Amino acid sequence: MNRLMALLLALCSVLLGLLVIAVAAGAGRDTPLPHPEFGPMQVGIDAGELGAPVWAAYVAGIVMLGTMWVTMLIGFRAGHWIHRAVSAWTVGYVLVFVILMWSFGAYVTGDTTIVLGFTASTSVLVYGLSLAPWIPLIAITWKFEDAYFGPEEQARFDEIVSEAKSRRHPPRDGEA
């Protein structure tokens, strides 16, 4: 648990450091610009002019996914299957994120295809990143009691309660 908390602190520190660097470097624009083809439309920071290198988006995204991973692991019993399942899911989720970033790059250059009714990058977002969080949520909900509070913890809890009761109400003569 201490290692997970230290890892969470490190990941949050990296995110904070990226934010400070972005603010200090003046990444992004304060106001949108007119669209080059359609005058009434405005182009915001989603046009790819973030003022930051692309690797910063990859690092920030993967660090945020790492933060999600660590927060889901906090409290799990280390030997429980759900502990390994959440880790495996996180690896898959990071791969879907990298595919999204890659397909978005292809979309920006105009090299994209239609997948399940959307452009490739939108399909990855809709069918991958938006649906994938339900997998660990359902697994955690289904096995919550087992994963967080198993038989050993229940036995220890019962022991603590009985010790507290015996201190508060010592046995009287003739009682066990």
Side-chain angles (χ1 to χ4, degrees), residues 60-81:
I62 290 174
V63 169
M64 283 188 271
L65 292 175
T67 303
M68 257 177 33
W69 170 65
V70 171
T71 54
M72 283 191 290
L73 287 182
I74 291 174
F76 281 134
R77 292 182 297 124
H80 198 275
W81 67 266

Side-chain angles (χ1 to χ4, degrees), residues 23-86:
V23 168
R29 288 195 305 259
D30 293 335
T31 58
L33 302 173
H35 192 279
E37 293 179 39
F38 307 102
M41 292 178 64
Q42 301 288 305
V43 177
I45 63 168
D46 60 343
E49 298 176 22
L50 297 174
V54 174
W55 64 262
Y58 279 99
V59 170
I62 290 174
V63 169
M64 283 188 271
L65 292 175
T67 303
M68 257 177 33
W69 170 65
V70 171
T71 54
M72 283 191 290
L73 287 182
I74 291 174
F76 281 134
R77 292 182 297 124
H80 198 275
W81 67 266
I82 207 162
H83 195 271
R84 291 182 299 276
V86 166

Side-chain angles (χ1 to χ4, degrees), residues 1-13 15 62-77 82-83 86-87 89-90 93 133 136-137 140 144 147-148:
M1 176 84 130
N2 288 338
R3 287 187 298 213
L4 285 175
M5 296 305 280
L7 182 56
L8 184 61
L9 177 64
L11 290 169
C12 289
S13 298
L15 281 175
I62 290 174
V63 169
M64 283 188 271
L65 292 175
T67 303
M68 257 177 33
W69 170 65
V70 171
T71 54
M72 283 191 290
L73 287 182
I74 291 174
F76 281 134
R77 292 182 297 124
I82 207 162
H83 195 271
V86 166
S87 295
W89 170 85
T90 302
Y93 201 64
L137 180 63
I140 290 168
F144 180 80
Y148 282 100

Side-chain angles (χ1 to χ4, degrees), residues 106-147:
Y107 174 75
V108 168
T109 63
D111 183 27
T112 190
T113 57
I114 301 298
V115 178
L116 298 171
F118 297 107
T119 60
S121 55
T122 304
S123 283
V124 172
L125 182 63
V126 170
Y127 301 119
L129 288 180
S130 63
L131 294 179
W134 286 97
I135 296 167
L137 180 63
I138 290 169
I140 290 168
T141 303
W142 176 49
K143 284 302 202 178
F144 180 80
E145 191 172 322
D146 254 4

